[in-house]
Amino acid sequence: MVSRLMKKKSWMSKGVTAALLLGITCGGMFLPLCTPQAFAAAGTEIILPAPETASGLPVMQALQQRKSSRRFADASLTDRQLSLILWAANGINRPQEGKRVNPVARRIYNVDVYAVLPEGIYLYQPAKHALAQVFAGDFRPSLSKNPSYVQTAPLTLVYVANPVAPNPSRPVDPVKQTGFDNIAAGAMTQSVALIAVAENLGTCVRGSFETEAFRKAAALTDQKVLISQTVGVLP
Ligand SMILES: Cc1cc2nc3c(=O)[nH]c(=O)nc-3n(C[C@H](O)[C@H](O)[C@H](O)COP(=O)(O)O)c2cc1C
């Protein structure tokens, strides 16, 4: 699947330029969009096709059909579907303002989305609508200790909260922030579930997965792994 996407070796070779450009962007109007991982990621980058936002089902039909699915066909997602799912999870829907599909508290976009694909683990970068590889290799078997559909499903999203930087004029209440992070991730998973219905895909939100193994593979440090969501083609 990924071979059909625009794929390039990124920021190892172009690291300085990319870091400078991102730094300039982060210093300007897109500051709240940028997360520490965006600078740390290195390796293969997947540029996703633009999301086809004119497609889809009426929202009432999508809501009526939403459900958890735990049985999937042995089939890949299309590039188009991957693009739509990542956009629904954490994409930008108002580029002029840098605002996103899903709401967040205080316009602090600190929840990142990782995509566990057969080729590796990738961090979704909303501003580029691209995936930056953080782990090469098939991590899916390690998502569960017991035999499970998540080990073969084409995609599992993992929602990860970055710590919010202290701001003396607007102090962060850690308990409240944890609630905000979970609410943000809830909105994100629901948007993915609704897009999935429109694409005849199945999804299941999963709290039970190997978070420590994921944390290690994705080289996370002080982030919180919130929840996962598996996506597959319905049989
Ligand atoms: C926060 C959260 C965690 C969940 N964790 C799991 C899980 O670990 N395994 C699983 O099979 N389903 C999990 N689910 C899915 C629920 O079991 C499912 O939503 C519930 O049974 C209702 O079914 P429905 O989604 O088809 O309406 C989770 C759902 C949520 C919102």
Side-chain angles (χ1 to χ4, degrees):
M1 174 252 297
V2 169
S3 59
R4 282 181 279 119
L5 297 166
M6 199 191 299
K7 196 174 160 188
K8 59 183 182 185
K9 275 282 173 200
S10 69
W11 306 342
M12 275 305 206
S13 52
K14 297 181 189 161
V16 177
T17 318
L20 277 174
L21 284 173
L22 274 167
I24 291 163
T25 310
C26 289
M29 65 181 283
F30 291 116
L31 180 61
L33 300 177
C34 298
T35 57
Q37 288 80 359
F39 294 97
T44 303
E45 184 180 71
I46 298 170
I47 309 288
L48 296 165
E52 283 176 24
T53 51
S55 64
L57 270 185
V59 71
M60 288 307 286
Q61 284 178 37
L63 285 169
Q64 210 279 324
Q65 291 171 38
R66 191 226 53 91
K67 63 177 183 182
S68 299
S69 300
R70 299 177 180 85
R71 244 168 33 86
F72 300 118
D74 182 16
S76 305
L77 304 181
T78 65
D79 301 346
R80 184 179 153 278
Q81 289 170 333
L82 188 62
S83 166
L84 285 174
I85 287 164
L86 269 310
W87 183 78
N90 211 12
I92 294 172
N93 66 351
R94 287 152 293 164
Q96 299 82 351
E97 303 163 86
K99 289 187 168 179
R100 304 195 189 178
V101 171
N102 299 296
V104 287
R106 301 163 82 180
R107 211 194 154 182
I108 299 172
Y109 294 107
N110 64 311
V111 177
D112 279 339
V113 178
Y114 288 77
V116 180
L117 292 165
E119 300 82 6
I121 302 175
Y122 294 80
L123 171 65
Y124 176 63
Q125 299 176 286
K128 294 174 87 175
H129 194 51
L131 291 167
Q133 193 179 65
V134 296
F135 175 87
D138 192 355
F139 181 75
R140 296 175 305 160
S142 307
L143 283 168
S144 170
K145 276 195 176 135
N146 301 318
S148 165
Y149 62 90
V150 302
Q151 296 169 320
T152 49
L155 171 67
T156 288
L157 301 174
V158 181
Y159 298 85
V160 173
N162 294 292
V164 173
N167 177 347
S169 64
R170 297 187 79 183
V172 175
D173 173 337
V175 175
K176 254 189 166 176
Q177 188 59 48
T178 299
F180 292 160
D181 296 344
N182 289 327
I183 288 167
M188 294 157 107
T189 58
Q190 183 70 353
S191 293
V192 169
L194 295 179
I195 286 280
V197 170
E199 288 294 311
N200 204 27
L201 299 172
T203 58
C204 190
V205 174
R206 287 181 57 93
S208 57
F209 69 106
E210 294 299 311
T211 51
E212 279 316 306
F214 177 83
R215 170 180 289 288
K216 233 178 172 176
L220 301 181
T221 54
D222 52 357
Q223 297 92 340
K224 277 191 197 149
V225 180
L226 303 175
I227 197 83
S228 71
Q229 184 176 29
T230 298
V231 184
V233 177
L234 291 172

